[in-house]
Amino acid sequence: MNPKTPEAVADGEKTTDETETTSVEKAEQQDRDETGRGAVTDADPADEGAVDTDDTDDTDDVNDADDTGEETSGRLAAASAAVVSAGLGVVALTGAWSGRVAAERETLIGQIKTSSGSSAAQQINEIYGDAWHATALVNGLFGLLALLVGTYVLVRPAFGAPARQPQAGWVRAVARGGIALGALGVVIAVAMYFDLIVALPTTAG
């Protein structure tokens, strides 16, 4: 029995040493795991911050692109409106087919009214006077539209968000021209409607 005792003791020492070694390795492994987790945890906020920064930059770029597109559309609309205002002013001075149609209609109505017999003064008023007044009324409407559209182009930058670039000079010039032509057309139309420029002819007696 005695010869076996040292072997048993040796085996017990080996088992104890292996257990201690395993415990030490487990402790070191846990330390490594905790260290790795701490590094990952510390790195996460930085990564999230970098992602958030990129997302913010992308959002700003999209907003800038939208603002630029809206501003460009606004400038194009203002330029188109200025040209329309000038065109309406020209029509107010020269007349349009709608004015001729209205005049011909009034002429036809006057002929119908005076077909059964009427005085010369009544025929002049019904056949010619009403037709001229209808033409003046239509031209005056075109002049008024030119005034409104041109005024809108000039006062539009004063309302809403300020634009990054000022309104183009030629747009303001064309809008002012449309306003001037429209105002002149309205004045002439009013004078013609009330027979201030060219009065209706009169008959003797």
Side-chain angles (χ1 to χ4, degrees), residues 50-129:
V51 172
D52 292 339
T53 302
D54 294 340
D55 293 341
T56 303
D57 294 339
D58 293 340
T59 302
D60 293 339
D61 292 340
V62 171
N63 292 334
D64 292 340
D66 292 340
D67 294 340
T68 303
E70 292 178 358
E71 186 175 351
T72 302
S73 299
R75 289 198 298 267
L76 291 176
S80 300
V83 175
V84 169
S85 175
L88 290 173
V90 172
V91 172
L93 293 177
T94 60
W97 66 269
S98 55
R100 291 194 297 271
V101 170
E104 291 174 357
R105 180 178 181 276
E106 292 297 330
T107 300
L108 180 60
I109 293 175
Q111 291 175 351
I112 294 173
K113 288 182 178 180
T114 59
S115 60
S116 59
S118 58
S119 62
Q122 186 178 0
Q123 289 179 358
I124 292 173
N125 185 57
E126 294 291 340
I127 297 175
Y128 300 103

Side-chain angles (χ1 to χ4, degrees), residues 84-96 98 135-151 175-190:
V84 169
S85 175
L88 290 173
V90 172
V91 172
L93 293 177
T94 60
S98 55
T135 302
L137 180 61
V138 173
N139 293 344
L141 291 177
F142 277 103
L144 182 61
L145 287 176
L147 275 173
L148 294 176
V149 176
T151 303
R176 290 191 182 97
I179 292 175
L181 293 174
L184 184 60
V186 170
V187 171
I188 294 175
V190 171

Side-chain angles (χ1 to χ4, degrees), residues 8-31:
V9 172
D11 293 339
E13 290 177 354
K14 291 179 181 180
T15 303
T16 302
D17 293 338
E18 291 175 358
T19 303
E20 292 176 356
T21 302
T22 304
S23 300
V24 171
E25 291 177 355
K26 289 182 178 180
E28 291 177 355
Q29 185 65 30
Q30 289 179 356
D31 292 339

